[in-house]
Amino acid sequence: DAGVIQSPRHEVTEMGQEVTLRCKLISGHNSLFWYRQTMMRGLELLIYFNNNVPIDDSGMPEDRFSAKMPNASFSTLKIQPSEPRDSAVYFCASSRKGRFHGYTFGSGTRLTVV
Amino acid sequence: AQSVTQLDSQVPVFEEAPVELRCNYSSSVSVYLFWYVQYPNQGLQLLLKYLSGSTLVKGINGFEAEFNKSQTSFHLRKPSVHISDTAEYFCAGVIQGAQKLVFGQGTRLTINP
């Protein structure tokens, strides 16, 4: 079990550029959650998917953010155009089918927009 | 859980002292409860969970928590802390049957030598 894998671990980009964050779920997990963590706001749920279908995107800050799950094991979070206030650590987490046992988190992507 | 509250944003303790990190939840229905730990520059790692059964739950690294339904609490305890326990700790809850975890704001545990 390789765990939830996120890439890249660090991303530094200039304001206005497009940023794509990637997440690979654990095999056998069917729910995927994207979180953002900042000092000011703590952990915020941005969006989650169940069986590749977006269930709740009420946490997505604005239209500049979009997330996709093209297959059962992979997801992307895109920010276009990026702004300095998007600087944060972005985590994805997955949970398995059946009875809920909590989430398994990836190591996160630290995004810095300058 | 509709909400999860961690009562202390920071807890400083001396090495080898006991510690309790407090967590309260609000929910009108049955919940599952969790504690996660986040070491510096890492993701969140599951410490322990309460799903059902015994209200005293033991987790990794010598931590335990007790589910108290009447007080709607799920406090985390360790009898003797180590420098390596320095981290941020998150309490989280979910309504049974749902999938969306609600997290508390986190408690930063600092261990002083």
Side-chain angles (χ1 to χ4, degrees):
Chain A
D1 186 347
V4 175
I5 299 172
Q6 291 188 246
S7 63
R9 285 298 310 273
H10 302 274
E11 176 81 31
V12 180
T13 191
E14 290 186 348
M15 182 174 64
Q17 296 297 306
E18 177 181 295
V19 176
T20 299
L21 311 182
R22 295 174 175 81
C23 176
K24 185 175 185 301
L25 282 70
I26 294 174
S27 176
H29 284 201
N30 69 330
S31 295
L32 181 283
F33 305 81
W34 280 103
Y35 281 86
R36 178 171 68 177
Q37 187 178 38
T38 59
M39 289 291 290
M40 291 295 293
R41 294 174 176 263
L43 269 173
E44 301 174 276
L45 177 64
L46 301 178
I47 185 171
Y48 83 92
F49 295 82
N50 196 32
N51 294 320
N52 307 357
V53 176
I55 303 299
D56 182 352
D57 65 354
S58 59
M60 295 286 262
E62 45 199 277
D63 292 346
R64 298 184 297 106
F65 285 69
S66 62
K68 293 182 180 179
M69 197 165 175
N71 58 54
S73 61
F74 183 73
S75 177
T76 58
L77 177 68
K78 187 177 291 188
I79 308 172
Q80 166 64 19
S82 57
E83 297 183 4
R85 60 193 168 120
D86 302 330
S87 297
V89 181
Y90 291 81
F91 290 103
C92 74
S94 67
S95 66
R96 66 186 196 198
K97 303 172 189 176
R99 191 184 186 200
F100 187 75
H101 281 267
Y103 301 166
T104 302
F105 280 82
S107 297
T109 295
R110 181 175 296 276
L111 174 64
T112 305
V113 183
V114 297
Chain B
Q2 276 96 8
S3 71
V4 173
T5 303
Q6 291 182 244
L7 298 162
D8 306 294
S9 59
Q10 296 187 62
V11 173
V13 296
F14 288 106
E15 195 172 13
E16 298 183 7
V19 70
E20 178 180 84
L21 306 184
R22 297 181 293 167
C23 173
N24 285 91
Y25 69 92
S26 71
S27 176
S28 56
V29 297
S30 296
V31 296
Y32 298 145
L33 294 163
F34 303 80
W35 276 98
Y36 284 84
V37 60
Q38 184 179 27
Y39 299 106
N41 300 313
Q42 294 188 28
L44 279 71
Q45 179 183 354
L46 183 65
L47 259 184
L48 49 79
K49 58 190 172 190
Y50 171 76
L51 303 181
S52 64
S54 172
T55 57
L56 183 63
V57 180
K58 293 190 185 297
I60 61 171
N61 301 341
F63 283 93
E64 64 181 32
E66 185 155 18
F67 173 63
N68 188 318
K69 190 174 181 180
S70 63
Q71 297 189 9
T72 61
S73 68
F74 191 56
H75 301 333
L76 181 71
R77 300 185 183 100
K78 186 170 182 178
S80 176
V81 295
H82 190 266
I83 291 281
S84 59
D85 293 322
T86 296
E88 184 129 20
Y89 292 79
F90 291 92
C91 182
V94 64
I95 294 171
Q96 288 187 22
Q99 289 187 305
K100 190 172 163 181
L101 267 179
V102 175
F103 282 88
Q105 286 297 92
T107 298
R108 186 171 299 276
L109 177 63
T110 305
I111 314 297
N112 298 307

